[in-house]
Amino acid sequence: PKTDIVFLKVHKSASSTVMNILFRFGETHNLTFAFPIGGGNQLFYPRHFMARFVEGFSPSSPRRFNILCHHMRFLQPEVHKVVSRSAFYFSILRNPVKLMESSFAYYKGATAFSRVRSLEEFLRQPYHYYSPTDGDRHYARNLMTFDFGFNPDGEVSAERVKLMLKAIEASFDLLLISEYFDESMVLLKEMLCWDLDSVVSFPLNIRDSSTKSQLSDTVVEKIKDWNRLDWEIYTHFNRTFWERIDRDIGRERMQREVKALRERQGELARTCLQGMGSVAPKHIKDSSLKPLQHGSARILGYNLKQGLDKETERMCRRLVTPELQYSSALYKKQF
């Protein structure tokens, strides 16, 4: 199994669920994490990543960490200083239309969104609310482009897009697609030589559907235009994702693997969860399992079954512990 891993945690793209998978694998295999100094949950985002943001890093004795997975704005030369040269790099992408709808609900307090009632209103005249000089502008435009380290306000020329895609391809071994999450996990498991249980998960940091809004075709097209760089990244890597599946796994085997993954998830849900699924924040009984609530989004969580034996309880708890709580527990353990 590969144990040196860099995961670029792109915002609002099922990346908290992937992070939980990395936390569990790291914890059960006694791996080290490149934590933000002081145990925060972001590596001084939205600044470009620097090795000195990592707790325990010192230029004089460059210590290598196994897993780098907290929110950061990617800058590979600095990342190289904290992980081994042979580390496996991956990230996950999401359709920019869904991503922007989610970002609008989650980052309602961002400068560009704070004065509008709806996404439609914002898109009618975006430059009325959006300024490239705002410190939090990235939440409102080309968020993936920004997380990968590029300028979200850059011009969209064929040449520039080509260079950007080339740079991402040169840095990353694998780009997953959140709309095909189960297929993504099968592909990840193959590439990392992990077993099935290592990539099984319950969806974390997801919104209650009552806070999701339906978008008209006009709005969808406006979102694509406004986030043109993200759209180019997404469509390109969605295509290469399926090309890779055809090349390395094949559709038939992929179907079998996805079926096995879903069956195992169902088994674990029956074992671990009260009521088999996620619940609204007010119904979460154990306060240590309550996810952070943000913006106008209502973030769901889980209740564990009572009376589980110690070993099962520990395994189940790992699966449903929200990112911030899990991160700070691992930080305390490591330092």
Side-chain angles (χ1 to χ4, degrees):
K2 292 200 165 87
T3 53
D4 292 324
I5 294 160
V6 174
F7 171 53
L8 178 63
K9 188 174 187 289
V10 168
H11 288 75
K12 316 308 319 144
S13 305
S15 56
S16 296
T17 309
V18 177
M19 198 177 194
N20 175 272
I21 288 170
L22 295 172
F23 280 169
R24 280 164 25 218
F25 188 86
E27 184 179 17
T28 49
H29 293 79
N30 283 323
L31 303 177
T32 55
F33 289 89
F35 283 107
I37 282 180
N41 56 321
Q42 301 198 343
L43 289 150
F44 292 80
Y45 186 87
R47 290 161 65 186
H48 272 105
F49 175 79
M50 302 294 278
R52 60 182 159 80
F53 297 163
V54 172
E55 179 90 43
F57 171 80
S58 115
S60 53
S61 64
R63 175 183 174 192
R64 302 281 185 218
F65 298 88
N66 298 116
I67 299 178
L68 173 61
C69 63
H70 286 71
H71 272 309
M72 64 168 160
R73 189 171 183 208
F74 191 66
L75 188 61
Q76 192 158 26
E78 288 292 315
V79 171
H80 275 327
K81 296 176 185 176
V82 296
V83 294
S84 106
R85 281 284 174 178
S86 60
F88 180 86
Y89 284 71
F90 79 105
S91 186
I92 187 163
L93 305 172
R94 184 182 187 186
N95 183 319
V97 175
K98 293 181 186 161
L99 185 114
M100 187 161 195
E101 188 275 325
S102 174
S103 192
F104 183 79
Y106 205 79
Y107 302 113
K108 191 68 188 78
T111 314
F113 294 151
S114 59
R115 290 182 295 138
V116 291
R117 279 188 304 275
S118 66
L119 195 47
E120 287 84 336
E121 192 183 332
F122 173 79
L123 291 160
R124 243 174 259 137
Q125 37 178 1
Y127 281 112
H128 190 69
Y129 308 104
Y130 174 92
S131 160
T133 57
D134 288 335
D136 58 2
R137 76 189 192 286
H138 49 282
Y139 293 124
R141 187 179 203 189
N142 289 317
L143 183 49
M144 294 192 286
T145 303
F146 183 86
D147 285 354
F148 276 95
F150 304 103
N151 174 10
D153 296 300
E155 50 144 359
V156 189
S157 64
E159 189 50 33
R160 198 164 171 277
V161 166
K162 203 167 101 184
L163 286 171
M164 183 172 71
L165 296 175
K166 266 209 160 76
I168 295 173
E169 272 173 345
S171 300
F172 287 84
D173 300 292
L174 180 63
L175 285 145
L176 304 173
I177 302 290
S178 67
E179 281 78 16
Y180 303 103
F181 191 80
D182 293 342
E183 289 84 353
S184 290
M185 291 306 103
V186 170
L187 205 47
L188 185 66
K189 166 175 90 74
E190 288 291 299
M191 304 282 299
L192 294 174
C193 306
W194 287 8
D195 62 9
L196 182 68
D197 270 15
S198 297
V199 297
V200 171
S201 62
F202 298 139
L204 294 175
N205 204 25
I206 52 167
R207 277 187 300 157
D208 182 347
S209 54
S210 69
T211 61
K212 295 180 181 172
S213 41
Q214 291 303 310
L215 305 172
S216 69
D217 293 351
T218 326
V219 169
V220 167
E221 288 313 311
K222 280 183 177 168
I223 291 176
K224 285 183 198 173
D225 272 350
W226 177 245
N227 297 283
R228 181 54 58 190
L229 292 170
D230 271 10
W231 185 251
E232 295 286 350
I233 291 175
Y234 178 77
T235 48
H236 176 81
F237 288 109
N238 187 16
R239 197 181 67 246
T240 59
F241 175 80
W242 291 101
E243 284 167 2
R244 173 165 253 166
I245 286 173
D246 290 335
R247 191 186 70 222
D248 296 350
I249 294 183
R251 301 277 170 126
E252 277 180 35
R253 187 175 145 221
M254 178 52 91
Q255 274 180 330
R256 289 198 303 275
E257 295 264 0
V258 164
K259 187 166 174 274
L261 182 69
R262 287 175 183 162
E263 280 168 2
R264 183 64 181 133
Q265 188 182 357
E267 258 171 56
L268 286 168
R270 286 190 290 279
T271 304
C272 296
L273 303 180
Q274 269 181 32
M276 289 285 292
S278 52
V279 295
K282 62 170 189 274
H283 297 310
I284 300 169
K285 300 186 182 87
D286 179 344
S287 61
S288 71
L289 296 178
K290 252 192 191 148
L292 174 77
Q293 301 300 313
H294 210 290
S296 65
R298 275 219 315 231
I299 308 298
L300 305 176
Y302 297 92
N303 284 317
L304 289 180
K305 273 190 177 158
Q306 301 296 300
L308 299 169
D309 65 79
K310 253 205 170 82
E311 199 45 48
T312 311
E313 208 266 348
R314 190 182 304 140
M315 174 203 62
C316 292
R317 184 169 283 276
R318 282 179 178 142
L319 280 160
V320 299
T321 299
E323 174 186 327
L324 302 188
Q325 288 93 310
Y326 207 154
S327 183
S328 77
L330 290 174
Y331 175 79
K332 283 183 191 129
K333 197 170 154 183
Q334 187 167 311
F335 293 103

